[in-house]
Amino acid sequence: MSSTTAAMEALILHLHSISAVKFGNFKLKSGIYSPIYIDLRLIVSYPSLLTQISETLASSLPLQDFDLICGVPYTALPIATVVSTTYNIPMVMRRKEVKDYGTAKAIEGAYTTGMKCLIIEDLVTSGASVLETAAPLRAIGLEVTTAVVLIDREQGGRENLEANGIKLHAMIKLTDMVRVLREKGKVEEQTERDVLRFLDENRKVAVPTQETILKKEVKPIALKFEDRAKIVKNETAKRLFEVMVQKESNLCLAADVATAKELLELAEKVGPQICLLKTHVDILPDFTPDFGTKLRSIAEKYNFLIFEDRKFADIGNTVTMQYEGGIFHILEWADIVNAHIISGPGIVDGLKLKGLPRGRGLLLLAEMSSAGNLATGDYTAAAVKIAEQHSDFVIGFISVNPASWPGAPVNPAYIQATPGVQMVKGGDNLGQQYNTPYSVIYDRGSDIIIVGRGIIKAADPAKEALEYRLQGWDAYLANPRSVVILRWLTTSWLHVLLVMRLQVFYSTVFVLQFWKNEVNPALFCADGSSASSNFWVGVKFVMLEESCFILYQWFSGENTFLDDTFICYAGRILFYSVPMVLG
C-alpha cells in the first residue's frame, strides 16, 4: 500500500460495509467467473462516500494537465461529475447507446480537436470499458493517454491499456483490498486464498480488438452518394459518385493481370458490374500506344472510370513528367491516379499542374493494406491535411480503416477506396491482408471496395464480380434483406408475367383439390354463402399463405436453397395477394 494506507483501509472497509464488495461466484463482463465482485453502483446512494472516492481519484494526479474529463458509463459518471464540479474541470459524456435521431453524437459536450481528456473509471479488469470510451473520444480528435481508476483487478487491464497508449493510475489493487479485509477480520483466510488463486489463474483477460470496439459504436447517419456528388469540387469525383449511383456499384476491379490483352478482355467481362477499373500499366509487357484508347472505349461502353495505380512518390517536377510523358502517357487515358505524400505537398502541386486542367482526380495513399506498412498515424493525418489544401484536385484516399481516423468521419466530399477485399478474411504469403466487403464498407467506413484476385482468379470473373457488386452495395445500404426485397418488387414487367404464371399454378392446384373433394368448401362458407361465391377468395388465401411461408423460410434461414428468382415470385405474390384478399 502507499503512504495513504490508513485512508485507503478506511475506504475499503466502508465499501465492504455497504456490500459493494461481495464474495461468491459471479460472472464478469469478460465471461469468466470470479469469487469476488465489486459493485460500485451503490456509491450513488452514499454522498459522503462518493465525494471521498472522487477526491481520492482527483488527488492522485495533476488535474491541471487535462482539459477535459470523461467518466466511463455508467458507474463512473457520478464520480466524474463530482470531480468536474469540485475542481472546475469541463466534462464530456460518452453515450453508451448512440441515438439515430437528433445530433446522433457519440460524445456530448463542448470540446475542440487536440484537447487532452482524462478517463475516469471505477474498476478495471481487462480494460475493455476504458477502451470503448477512448475510441469515440479519439475519433473526434481528443488526446487520450491517461485513465484513473479506483480498483485494479490485476487481470491484464493495465497491460492492455498501455498497449493502446493509455497509462493507468489505480488507487487500490484487488490483492491489497482482500488482504485488508482478511486482516480486519471481514473475510476468512480461505476466501483470500480462493481470490489469490483465481487471480493467479486469470492474470491476462483478453480485451476486444479496436475494430471490435468500433463495431459497437452506432454510426452517424451518412450522406448518400448522390448527395455527396453535389458537394464535391472536382468533376471526376462528381462523375464517380454519379456512376456509383447509376450502376448501384461501389466495386473497383484491380486488374493486375499479365498482359494488356488479358486486361482488355477482363474489362469487357466485368465492365457492367464495376464503377472503377484499377490498372498497373507498367507491368504489361505488350503495352502499345493505343492501349489507353482501347480501354477508354470499353470504359465509355460500360460506364466506368479508369484508375491508374501509379503511386507517384517523387518530387513535383519529376511526377509532372511521369504523369504526362514517358511511354505510357497516363494523363491521356486515366481519370484518376494516386500518390504517396512522402515527398511532401509538392507532389500534389506537380500532378495538379497537368491533371486539373484535364478534369482528372487524385487519390492520396493515407493507409495501405500490407502487413507492417508505415502509412499510419501521423502519416495518415498529414495526408488528410494535404487533401484539404487541394480539395479541387484531391478526390479522396486509399485507406484501410477511415472510421478509426482522428476526427472521423472525414469530410464526405472525399472518396474512401479500400484494397485487399475478398469474401473471407485472411492474407497471403506476401503480406497482403484481406477483409470482407461488409467489414470494409459498413464497419470501417469506406466507400469503394477494391477487389483483385477474388475476381481475376475466379472460374467465372463476370459472375464473381456481380456477387462482389451486390455485397458491396448492400453493405453501403446497410440493410441487405430489405434492399433485395425492394429490388424484387421493382423488377421488370417480365417478372410480373412469371408471377401470373405462378398464380395460375396455385389456382389449378386448388381447382384439382376442390374437384377431388380434398378441400372442404365449408372452409370458406362460414357465413352460409355458397362455395362458388367464395371459391376465388380461397385461392387468394392459399396464394397468400404459401407466399408468406416461403418468405418466412428464407428470412429465418430454414430454406437456404431457394434462389433469388423463386423468392422474387413469392414476394410479388405477397405484394399482389394482400390487396386482392382485403378487397
Side-chain angles (χ1 to χ4, degrees):
M1 300 287 283
S2 66
S3 58
T4 56
T5 299
M8 288 300 178
E9 286 185 356
L11 180 56
I12 291 169
L13 292 172
H14 197 169
L15 290 172
H16 182 266
S17 69
I18 65 170
S19 298
V21 184
K22 299 177 172 68
F23 295 92
N25 190 30
F26 306 94
K27 185 177 181 179
L28 304 181
K29 180 178 180 179
S30 59
I32 63 176
Y33 285 85
S34 167
I36 183 172
Y37 182 68
I38 314 297
D39 183 8
L40 294 181
R41 289 183 292 269
L42 292 168
I43 65 175
V44 295
S45 299
Y46 300 87
S48 62
L49 179 59
L50 175 60
T51 301
Q52 181 184 359
I53 290 173
S54 303
E55 291 177 348
T56 299
L57 294 178
S59 63
S60 66
L61 68 173
L63 293 180
Q64 65 272 16
D65 292 347
F66 303 96
D67 304 303
L68 301 166
I69 60 173
C70 181
V72 175
Y74 291 106
T75 307
L77 285 178
I79 301 174
T81 302
V82 172
V83 172
S84 175
T85 56
T86 302
Y87 297 92
N88 196 30
I89 300 177
M91 174 179 164
V92 291
M93 184 176 69
R94 171 197 159 217
R95 280 188 178 271
K96 202 166 186 178
E97 300 87 13
V98 182
K99 307 299 182 183
D100 59 359
Y101 53 84
T103 60
K105 290 181 178 179
I107 302 297
E108 299 288 357
Y111 53 83
T112 57
T113 301
M115 281 185 165
K116 293 183 178 181
C117 184
L118 169 67
I119 292 180
I120 295 178
E121 176 63 305
D122 63 319
L123 177 144
V124 162
T125 302
S126 68
S129 295
V130 173
L131 291 177
E132 287 172 2
T133 298
L137 291 171
R138 286 172 167 173
I140 60 173
L142 299 183
E143 182 180 331
V144 180
T145 60
T146 309
V148 62
V149 62
L150 180 63
I151 300 169
D152 178 7
R153 287 186 61 104
E154 303 173 87
Q155 292 179 263
R158 181 181 299 275
E159 294 77 12
N160 289 332
L161 292 174
E162 286 182 358
N164 285 275
I166 299 175
K167 184 177 181 180
L168 181 67
H169 296 265
M171 301 299 97
I172 305 171
K173 292 182 179 180
L174 190 59
T175 51
D176 290 331
M177 171 176 277
V178 177
R179 177 181 57 81
V180 169
L181 292 175
R182 192 261 305 162
E183 290 176 349
K184 299 299 181 181
K186 302 300 181 181
V187 298
E188 302 293 333
E189 290 187 9
Q190 183 59 48
T191 301
E192 181 184 21
R193 285 195 294 269
D194 290 342
V195 172
L196 294 179
R197 183 173 63 253
F198 165 78
L199 292 177
D200 188 57
E201 294 172 350
N202 296 273
R203 283 292 176 188
K204 184 68 174 177
V205 178
V207 66
T209 63
Q210 193 74 0
E211 180 181 349
T212 303
I213 291 170
L214 288 169
K215 280 184 180 181
K216 292 185 177 182
E217 300 300 328
V218 179
K219 295 176 174 51
I221 299 171
L223 287 176
K224 295 180 179 179
F225 289 151
E226 51 263 46
D227 297 322
R228 292 168 65 181
K230 300 173 184 177
I231 63 174
V232 298
K233 299 178 181 179
N234 183 280
E235 283 302 312
T236 294
K238 180 180 180 181
R239 185 181 163 213
L240 179 53
F241 277 129
E242 290 173 346
V243 167
M244 292 163 71
V245 173
Q246 291 165 8
K247 299 182 72 173
E248 293 191 352
S249 173
N250 52 358
L251 171 62
C252 170
L253 172 68
D256 300 336
V257 292
T259 66
K261 181 175 181 294
E262 288 180 74
L263 193 152
L264 295 173
E265 291 174 350
L266 184 62
E268 282 281 359
K269 292 178 181 177
V270 305
Q273 309 302 334
I274 62 175
C275 66
L276 194 61
L277 185 138
K278 184 173 78 70
T279 62
H280 276 297
V281 70
D282 53 0
I283 67 174
L284 306 175
D286 57 339
F287 175 86
T288 56
D290 63 348
F291 168 81
T293 302
K294 292 178 180 178
L295 184 58
R296 285 207 70 84
S297 176
I298 298 172
E300 290 170 3
K301 177 180 178 181
Y302 295 110
N303 191 26
F304 63 79
L305 278 69
I306 303 170
F307 164 30
E308 164 54 24
D309 192 4
R310 178 62 177 79
K311 295 186 177 73
F312 292 104
D314 218 314
I315 61 174
N317 185 59
T318 302
V319 299
T320 299
M321 295 186 287
Q322 291 173 330
Y323 191 16
E324 183 181 36
I327 63 172
F328 299 123
H329 295 282
I330 297 169
L331 179 62
E332 298 297 321
W333 50 269
D335 300 291
I336 300 167
V337 293
N338 60 352
H340 291 286
I341 60 163
I342 192 67
S343 59
I347 191 172
V348 179
D349 293 323
L351 294 169
K352 181 177 177 179
L353 183 65
K354 297 295 182 179
L356 188 58
R358 298 289 297 271
R360 305 306 194 202
L362 175 67
L363 293 171
L364 296 182
L365 283 113
E367 294 179 293
M368 297 184 71
S369 57
S370 55
N373 76 84
L374 304 179
T376 59
D378 291 342
Y379 186 94
T380 300
V384 174
K385 184 176 181 180
I386 291 174
E388 291 170 348
Q389 296 168 349
H390 298 275
S391 57
D392 55 345
F393 184 54
V394 176
I395 67 172
F397 307 94
I398 300 297
S399 56
V400 175
N401 190 6
S404 68
W405 296 1
V410 178
N411 186 336
Y414 294 123
I415 295 166
Q416 302 282 355
T418 298
V421 178
Q422 284 198 359
M423 296 293 188
V424 295
K425 291 187 177 182
D428 63 16
N429 57 5
L430 295 178
Q432 176 67 298
Q433 302 297 303
Y434 294 112
N435 284 283
T436 64
Y438 188 88
S439 171
V440 166
I441 300 298
Y442 185 78
D443 295 332
R444 299 186 173 203
S446 191
D447 300 313
I448 294 175
I449 55 173
I450 302 177
V451 183
R453 280 168 272 187
I455 293 175
I456 294 171
K457 301 296 184 182
D460 187 344
K463 183 178 179 180
E464 197 72 2
L466 170 61
E467 181 60 29
Y468 272 103
R469 178 180 74 79
L470 293 175
Q471 285 202 23
W473 195 254
D474 286 345
Y476 157 63
L477 295 171
N479 193 357
R481 293 280 185 172
S482 63
V483 171
V484 175
I485 290 292
L486 181 61
R487 201 176 283 150
W488 290 329
L489 295 177
T490 58
T491 46
S492 68
W493 62 270
L494 180 60
H495 281 170
V496 178
L497 295 179
L498 292 171
V499 170
M500 292 174 65
R501 289 177 60 188
L502 196 58
Q503 288 175 322
V504 171
F505 166 76
Y506 277 124
S507 301
T508 303
V509 170
F510 190 88
V511 168
L512 291 174
Q513 289 178 321
F514 190 88
W515 179 62
K516 294 172 66 177
N517 294 320
E518 292 179 3
V519 176
N520 183 2
L523 289 174
F524 308 109
C525 304
D527 60 351
S529 59
S530 66
S532 60
S533 65
N534 287 276
F535 173 75
W536 285 109
V537 175
V539 172
K540 296 169 188 175
F541 269 111
V542 171
M543 289 163 50
L544 182 58
E545 185 274 332
E546 289 295 325
S547 302
C548 290
F549 181 68
I550 291 168
L551 290 173
Y552 166 76
Q553 285 187 311
W554 184 70
F555 269 104
S556 64
E558 294 180 12
N559 230 336
T560 55
F561 67 88
L562 294 173
D563 60 27
D564 286 359
T565 306
F566 191 66
I567 299 298
C568 169
Y569 304 153
R572 281 187 167 276
I573 283 185
L574 183 63
F575 182 73
Y576 291 113
S577 297
V578 170
M580 285 195 300
V581 170
L582 296 179

